[in-house]
């Protein structure tokens, strides 16, 4: 309603000034961005020449940018991520001033020498063949256009740049602790995303990314002895010239491009029936126990791929690569960088998590900087289920670790809401618990609210509706509402936008009469288990009034509970011995000590 009111108000003012035509144009331009979904598009064509002796490379980039927005763009921005790996950068200073720095970063950036830093230097930039002005500001290139980009218009940017690969510090870099030569993520000038919220030219301080959907055509020339894997499909055999091989990759419908290279890679493959070709790159110099782990990995990676495809939706690409590299585990388009010197359980578990990211972030491309919990949390949820499916000793609740992490955060006194920008969390610990644990609980607990079958349907519908798009937080809730016809905005508001907590307790039990109390601010429907004095049991379901619906359940459904009323009483059928609220423990009640009442 705010848009409509403002539009009408502006129209009346302009009409009173005799500017009816301008008023209508203004009204149309305001409303254009509120109707329908749109997203920008990029086509990258890059030629890269890498010198493995000094880890410097030269690049040319042709970028065709389609402005699908209803807005006129006067500027554009590029990310220059490698500039973060320089003494005095925001990433460096933040790492040295936050109270719990990432141990992989610490103060290492501040000690890098000129031949060890990372940089991307733009030498020239043209818009449709005409030079334009630009300024490098940390990890962002600010570009002032000669001609604004009109709605629906395509423009071509041509860039020439030089770069240096930093010593491996965080995610990307050269000569990792395991001896991997090149882990090349966030390595090229990458156009920032523009959407209905405006530009997202965030500096690279420590967290993750947001990118424009598009197609990549990349020619990489590198020493002939290096084996290369990563995003995209290799176009024929590499060509050899002057001691270098040129690898030509194409990657359709992605929002990033990553590669890794090392002269000592072993390259294994596994073709899945009716599925992608799986690639595995790992160093032949690994100890035998680690080599054995990598040899076991392909078969179970295929099982994981099948699990995610069944429970979310089909994997849409023809290849996926697991590559030894990076500094831990990190997802990229069609590929994962993962450190290789791990126990098999760790290798498989991290592979499961990073593979799940292909759905939750690389196909369902949420903004990781703003909505990190949609990325890490949803991935943690589904990867925990997948790992449980492979385990011989299956857990009754494979999300129990996520619940413990969230409950510790909720009771810590330092929790920040999930609306917090990922770089603005007070500590890495709070960020991690919010993004991974609370994000996973958001989905798991949604299953408690609407029923597990409805949650399964919601996830699949969410994937079908938003794959190759940029879903936002409320999209998952609106999808659940469409599946169930429930009202669920209360769940999203309290759990994702505030730090309100769930705390229900049993106030009293007298004979057959049971009285419950709401102590926390967040509302929830309740599952109640009753044991009678004769040893029999009965389950009750108390719907939440503002939910306007009831989940499928075999329990006895009784009257709903209005949130503002702090207590609720009902009569069971017989004399009661004990009562428990939510014996599944899938409701994230922050104090379970008052969830059980037993008559002594």
């Amino acid at each position: 309603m705010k848009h409509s009111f403002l539009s009408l108000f502006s129209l009346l003012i302009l009409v009173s000034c005799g500017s009816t035509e301008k008023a209508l144009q203004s009204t149309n331009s305001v409303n254009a961005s509120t109707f329908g979904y749109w997203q920008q598009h990029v086509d990258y064509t890059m030629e890269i020449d890498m010198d493995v002796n000094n880890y410097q490379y030269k690049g040319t980039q042709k970028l065709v940018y389609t402005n699908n927005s209803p807005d006129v763009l006067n500027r554009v921005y590029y990310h220059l991520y490698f500039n973060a790996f320089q003494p005095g950068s925001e990433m460096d200073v933040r790492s040295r001033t936050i109270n719990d720095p990432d141990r992989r970063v610490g103060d290492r950036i501040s000690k890098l020498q000129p031949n060890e830093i990372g940089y991307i230097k733009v030498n020239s930039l043209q818009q449709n063949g005409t030079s334009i002005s630009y300024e490098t500001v940390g990890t962002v290139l600010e570009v002032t256009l000669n001609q604004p980009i009109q709605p629906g218009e395509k423009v071509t940017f041509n860039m020439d740049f030089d770069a240096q690969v930093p010593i491996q510090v965080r995610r990307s870099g050269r000569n990792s602790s395991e001896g991997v030569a090149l882990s090349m993520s966030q390595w090229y000038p990458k156009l920032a995303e523009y959407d209905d919220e405006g530009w997202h030219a965030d500096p690279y301080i420590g967290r993750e990314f947001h990118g424009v959907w598009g197609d990549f055509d990349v020619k990489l020339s590198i020493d002939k002895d290096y084996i290369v894997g990563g995003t995209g499909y290799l176009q024929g055999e590499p060509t050899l010239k002057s001691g270098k091989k040129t690898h030509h990759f194409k990657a359709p419908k992605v929002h990033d491009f990553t590669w890794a290279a090392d002269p000592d890679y072993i390259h294994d493959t596994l073709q899945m029936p009716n599925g992608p070709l799986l690639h595995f790159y790992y160093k032949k110099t690994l100890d035998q126990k680690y080599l054995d782990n990598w040899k076991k990995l392909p078969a179970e990676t295929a099982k994981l791929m099948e699990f995610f495809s069944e429970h979310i939706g089909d994997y849409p690409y023809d290849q996926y690569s697991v590559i030894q590299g990076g500094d831990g585990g990190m997802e990229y388009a069609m590929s994962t960088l993962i450190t290789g010197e791990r126990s098999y359980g760790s290798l498989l578990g991290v592979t499961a998590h990073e593979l799940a990211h292909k759905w939750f972030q690389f196909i369902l491309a949420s903004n990781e900087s703003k909505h990190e919990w949609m990325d890490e949390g949803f991935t943690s949820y589904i990867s925990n289920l997948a790992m449980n499916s492979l385990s011989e000793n299956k857990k009754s609740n494979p999300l129990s670790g996520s619940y413990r992490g969230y409950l510790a955060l909720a009771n810590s006194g330092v929790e920040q809401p999930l609306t917090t920008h990922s770089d603005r969390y007070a500590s890495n610990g709070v960020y991690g618990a919010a993004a991974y644990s609370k994000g996973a609980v958001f989905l798991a607990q949604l299953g408690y609210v609407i029923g597990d079958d409805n949650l399964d349907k919601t996830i699949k519908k969410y994937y079908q509706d938003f794959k190759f798009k940029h879903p936002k937080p409320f999209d998952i809730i609106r999808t659940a509402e469409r599946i169930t016809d429930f009202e669920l905005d209360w769940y999203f508001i309290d759990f994702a936008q505030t730090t309100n907590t769930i705390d229900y307790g049993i106030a009293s039990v007298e004979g057959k009469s049971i009285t419950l109390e709401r102590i926390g601010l967040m509302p929830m429907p309740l599952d109640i288990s009753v044991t009678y004095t004769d040893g029999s049991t009965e389950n009750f379901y108390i719907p939440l009034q503002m939910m306007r619906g009831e989940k499928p359940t075999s329990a006895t459904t009784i009257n709903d509970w209005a949130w503002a009323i702090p207590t609720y009483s009902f009569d069971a059928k017989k004399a009661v011995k004990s009562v428990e609220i939510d014996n599944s423990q899938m409701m994230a009640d922050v104090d379970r000590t008052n969830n059980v009442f037993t008559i002594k």
Side-chain angles (χ1 to χ4, degrees):
M1 288 300 293
K2 181 170 68 174
H3 285 299
S4 300
F5 173 77
L6 289 175
S7 299
L8 180 59
F9 183 72
S10 301
L11 179 62
L12 290 172
I13 291 177
L14 289 169
V15 168
S16 69
C17 297
S19 302
T20 306
E21 182 178 354
K22 290 182 179 179
L24 291 173
Q25 291 174 351
S26 174
T27 302
N28 289 338
S29 66
V30 169
N31 288 338
S33 62
T34 65
F35 292 104
Y37 175 83
W38 55 266
Q39 64 189 32
Q40 306 294 65
H41 183 84
V42 287
D43 289 313
Y44 287 93
T45 302
M46 292 188 283
E47 293 189 7
I48 308 300
D49 187 10
M50 169 63 74
D51 186 336
V52 298
N53 296 310
N54 59 15
Y55 301 102
Q56 295 177 356
Y57 54 101
K58 297 182 179 297
T60 61
Q61 181 188 92
K62 174 185 175 183
L63 191 156
V64 180
Y65 183 56
T66 305
N67 179 18
N68 290 317
S69 83
D71 305 321
V72 176
L73 305 181
N74 297 305
R75 308 184 83 193
V76 299
Y77 302 88
Y78 288 79
H79 296 285
L80 307 176
Y81 291 115
F82 271 5
N83 290 357
F85 302 102
Q86 300 175 12
S89 71
E90 287 193 77
M91 181 182 286
D92 171 35
V93 175
R94 179 61 170 160
S95 179
R96 289 187 285 112
T97 56
I98 198 169
N99 61 14
D100 59 341
D102 188 321
R103 59 179 176 76
R104 293 166 292 192
V105 182
D107 64 352
R108 292 178 62 204
I109 297 175
S110 68
K111 298 176 180 178
L112 294 178
Q113 300 302 307
N115 66 337
E116 297 174 328
I117 66 169
Y119 63 74
I120 299 175
K121 296 178 180 178
V122 176
N123 300 319
S124 66
L125 180 60
Q126 296 180 329
Q127 175 189 354
N128 293 335
T130 302
S131 295
I132 51 179
S133 61
Y134 54 87
E135 180 183 3
T136 298
V137 181
T139 59
V140 176
L141 187 76
E142 300 178 350
V143 181
T144 302
L145 301 175
N146 289 338
Q147 296 292 329
I149 308 173
Q150 300 297 321
E153 183 181 3
K154 289 189 178 187
V155 298
T156 300
F157 295 106
N158 288 97
M159 180 187 292
D160 179 88
F161 65 95
D162 297 327
Q164 179 171 284
V165 185
I167 291 288
Q168 175 85 46
V169 175
R170 189 69 183 96
R171 298 191 177 99
S172 55
R174 71 192 204 231
N175 300 325
S176 73
S177 61
E178 296 180 350
V180 175
L182 290 166
S183 297
M184 299 296 286
S185 58
Q186 295 84 48
W187 59 274
Y188 62 94
K190 179 179 177 181
L191 196 72
E193 179 64 287
Y194 181 86
D195 61 19
D196 61 347
E197 297 177 356
W199 285 104
H200 298 277
D202 294 334
Y204 186 26
I205 297 175
R207 302 304 179 203
E208 298 182 20
F209 313 100
H210 191 34
V212 190
W213 280 105
D215 301 328
F216 286 73
D217 187 318
V218 179
K219 291 181 179 177
L220 168 65
S221 296
I222 193 170
D223 184 282
K224 63 180 178 61
D225 294 328
Y226 277 62
I227 298 167
V228 180
T231 304
Y233 311 125
L234 187 61
Q235 305 297 295
E237 289 298 315
T239 59
L240 180 62
K241 183 180 179 181
S242 301
K244 286 188 172 182
K245 283 183 177 179
T246 298
H247 306 254
H248 184 192
F249 294 95
K250 288 188 177 182
K253 298 183 75 171
V254 294
H255 50 90
D256 204 358
F257 189 99
T258 295
W259 57 279
D262 192 278
D264 292 327
Y265 272 152
I266 295 172
H267 179 199
D268 294 337
T269 61
L270 175 64
Q271 178 64 60
M272 292 186 62
N274 304 313
L277 178 64
L278 304 181
H279 298 263
F280 300 85
Y281 298 85
Y282 53 99
K283 287 178 69 72
K284 62 186 178 185
T285 54
L286 286 170
D287 289 348
Q288 189 60 51
K289 61 182 179 180
Y290 299 129
L291 290 173
D292 292 342
N293 291 340
W294 279 86
K295 290 296 182 185
K296 289 192 295 184
L297 186 61
E300 293 206 277
T301 302
K303 293 178 183 177
L304 291 168
M305 180 72 75
E306 291 172 348
F307 183 94
F308 298 137
S309 292
E310 177 185 352
H311 290 87
I312 310 173
D314 289 340
Y315 180 76
Y317 302 111
D318 293 333
Q319 75 97 351
Y320 172 71
S321 299
V322 183
I323 307 170
Q324 184 186 354
D327 63 356
M330 183 66 193
E331 74 280 1
Y332 300 103
M334 302 189 205
S335 60
T336 284
L337 296 182
I338 179 175
T339 48
E341 297 177 357
R342 298 171 175 270
S343 68
Y344 183 65
S346 174
L347 185 66
L348 180 62
V350 176
T351 297
H353 182 87
E354 305 309 335
L355 176 55
H357 272 302
K358 300 305 160 288
W359 282 262
F360 290 121
Q361 209 281 319
F362 267 96
I363 301 169
L364 295 161
S366 55
N367 183 343
E368 295 176 291
S369 295
K370 288 188 63 179
H371 312 303
E372 63 285 341
W373 58 278
M374 296 179 69
D375 159 48
E376 296 297 354
F378 292 8
T379 291
S380 296
Y381 168 82
I382 201 71
S383 62
N384 282 333
L385 296 184
M387 284 294 290
N388 199 52
S389 75
L390 298 182
S391 174
E392 293 182 359
N393 301 312
K394 291 182 172 50
K395 299 177 181 179
S396 58
N397 179 9
L399 278 301
S400 58
S402 296
Y403 276 81
R404 287 194 299 272
Y406 163 65
L407 292 174
L409 174 67
N411 288 309
S412 69
V414 296
E415 182 185 5
Q416 294 172 253
L418 294 181
T419 52
T420 305
H421 188 284
S422 61
D423 281 319
R424 250 79 85 199
Y425 280 90
S427 69
N428 286 315
V430 172
Y431 161 81
Y436 290 80
S437 297
K438 190 173 184 180
V441 171
F442 180 94
L443 268 192
Q445 186 173 245
L446 182 60
Y448 168 86
V449 171
I450 67 175
D452 290 336
D453 288 345
N454 281 331
L455 177 62
D456 292 343
K457 294 174 184 177
T458 295
I459 291 172
K460 291 176 181 178
K461 177 66 172 170
Y462 175 63
Y463 178 76
Q464 288 302 319
D465 287 350
F466 293 99
K467 60 184 178 181
F468 303 117
K469 296 180 182 177
H470 293 297
K472 296 182 181 182
F474 207 60
D475 290 322
I476 185 69
I477 285 298
R478 290 292 293 127
T479 301
E481 288 183 333
R482 294 184 183 103
I483 290 293
T484 62
D485 208 26
F486 300 159
E487 182 176 340
L488 299 169
D489 57 343
W490 58 271
Y491 181 73
F492 172 75
I493 291 168
D494 276 66
F495 205 68
Q497 295 185 320
T498 76
T499 55
N500 289 347
T501 57
I502 303 162
D503 185 10
Y504 283 87
I506 303 166
S508 64
V509 178
E510 297 180 5
K512 298 189 297 181
S513 180
I514 300 168
T515 298
L516 311 174
E517 59 181 337
R518 176 186 55 75
I519 304 161
L521 284 173
M522 182 169 173
M524 287 290 281
L526 296 184
D527 291 342
I528 307 296
S529 301
V530 174
T531 300
Y532 295 115
T533 54
D534 63 7
S536 62
T537 61
E538 186 173 7
N539 295 322
F540 294 88
Y541 171 59
I542 304 174
L544 178 66
Q545 188 176 90
M546 67 175 69
M547 185 167 141
R548 313 299 173 195
E550 302 165 3
K551 71 176 178 182
T553 179
S554 59
T556 301
T557 300
I558 53 181
N559 293 335
D560 54 19
W561 187 346
W563 170 83
I565 300 174
T567 61
Y568 179 100
S569 298
F570 72 100
D571 287 338
K573 294 178 181 178
K574 295 178 282 187
V576 173
K577 179 180 181 181
S578 66
V579 180
E580 182 173 5
I581 299 173
D582 177 36
N583 63 8
S584 71
Q585 299 190 22
M586 296 302 288
M587 183 179 75
D589 193 307
V590 297
D591 180 9
R592 291 198 58 82
T593 61
N594 55 17
N595 284 29
V596 178
F597 191 107
T598 301
I599 301 293
K600 296 181 181 179

